[in-house]
Structure formats: C-alpha cells, structure tokens
Amino acid sequence: MPLHVPPAPAPALRSVLAALGSPTAVHEAHTPSLRAIQGPLTAELPLPVHVLDRLNVSGLAAGGRPPRTRLTGWRFLIRSGDRFVAAADTRLTPDGWAFSHFFEGPYVAATERALRQAESLGKGYQPRLLSVPELYMLTLWLHGAVGADASAGLPAASDLLVPLAPAPPGIAAYRPHPVSELLPVLTHRLTPPAPPVPPSLAAPAA
C-alpha cells in the first residue's frame, strides 16, 4: 500500500532546490558522489525528522507518561536518474525553514530500503524519521494517522518503528517493531544505572 508522504513546508523545499542549483553549495558539500554528478538532481520523499526526548522516554517506565518528540528538521532524498545519491537536511531558523547541509552514507540507502519495505506492509502509514541521539540510532517512524500534521504528534502504541542500518547492537535493522515493544527496550538502554550504595549505608550481614 502506498505511503502517505507528508508535504514539506514550501520554504524548506525551496531552500533545498536553491542549494542544488548552487555550484558552490554542491561543491562544498562533503558528498563526493553528489559533486561527481553532471546530470539533473531532484529532491524527493520529504520526511520530518523528530528526536525522541530522553527525559520523557525514561519517565515512560516510571510514570507511564507518553514519549515526547521534537521536530528538528525536514530531510529530502536527492535523486539522480534511477537512484538516490545523497540527502539534504533543513532546519528551522528565526527566519523560517532553511537549507542546512547535504550528506551521503549508509542512512541514505537504509532509508530508501525501509521505505520500500514499508510499502509492502498492507497498511497506510505516514512516514517520518525518529532519532535517538544517545543511542546513535535512527528509525523510520510509520505513523498510523496518515492525515496528521507531520510536524506534531506522539508515537502511538500501534505505530511502527523500523531501525535503520547501522542499528545499535542487539537491535535488528529493518525489522518493524510496534512502539509499545521497542520503546521499553530503548527506555532500558537510556536509563542510567543506579549509583552504588556506599558501604556505610549497606545492610549489615546477617
């Protein structure tokens, strides 16, 4: 079933197209494959990038509060011919959405693969990206409310998270996990261990 890709803010798209049309911006990018391309480039598949708030994830286990996310940008995949060669990130500034940078690497191919996989799940989703910086982890967030505002909203228990490669040790890349199953795993990893009890406070031996 086709994914319901949300429309990006028009200024964000314009800023990326302007950067693609700027030889200086492309040449200065740390993207050898992008600089080597002579033909036309297009910006496609806009995805809102949300960050999972660590404090609220940790609080989920203790107080049952829902996780919180923050929109930090919009990401576009850059196509040349029949393949994606790079990605472009935008960020919100006091003057509105603006181009941030181009990049390439494993997350570009991983995002494309996860999106193709999501189209075969048999259910409509709104695709987003959800980052967990403390774990160096990026997931494709498949939001069940396809008509929702892509810049807002919380992960619902029935939403799916698809870890992108490279995924943290012990978490399988490209395997869809319901939020209700994966968040407790992330909570455990993000919750710092309890400090050791000083010997003076330890219970006396029987």
Side-chain angles (χ1 to χ4, degrees), residues 132-138 167-168 171 185-186 189-190:
V132 188
E134 291 85 358
L135 299 180
Y136 301 98
M137 180 180 182
L138 184 66
I171 296 179
V185 175
L186 302 184
R189 295 194 178 198
L190 290 173

Side-chain angles (χ1 to χ4, degrees), residues 50-186:
H50 294 255
V51 171
L52 195 64
D53 184 70
R54 176 174 181 170
L55 294 178
N56 281 282
V57 172
S58 300
L60 180 66
R65 295 189 298 273
R68 296 287 179 180
T69 65
R70 294 179 289 109
L71 179 72
T72 58
W74 281 80
R75 177 168 296 176
F76 299 78
L77 297 186
I78 306 302
R79 180 186 292 276
S80 171
D82 60 353
R83 65 191 183 98
F84 292 110
V85 296
D89 274 357
T90 63
R91 58 188 176 86
L92 190 59
T93 71
D95 296 322
W97 289 101
F99 170 74
S100 175
H101 63 278
F102 293 115
F103 71 94
E104 60 185 43
Y107 280 139
V108 175
T111 301
E112 181 184 7
R113 173 176 169 177
L115 287 168
R116 289 201 309 266
Q117 176 180 317
E119 289 179 340
S120 66
L121 293 177
K123 181 180 178 181
Y125 290 102
Q126 181 192 88
R128 306 174 173 191
L129 292 173
L130 183 62
S131 172
V132 188
E134 291 85 358
L135 299 180
Y136 301 98
M137 180 180 182
L138 184 66
T139 73
L140 177 65
W141 170 11
L142 299 175
H143 193 43
V146 296
D149 179 357
S151 66
L154 305 176
S158 58
D159 287 354
L160 297 181
L161 297 178
V162 183
L164 303 184
I171 296 179
Y174 306 117
R175 177 183 172 185
H177 299 265
V179 166
S180 59
E181 293 181 5
L182 186 57
L183 275 188
V185 175
L186 302 184

Side-chain angles (χ1 to χ4, degrees), residues 7-20:
L13 177 57
R14 286 197 300 267
S15 71
V16 171
L17 295 179
L20 285 175

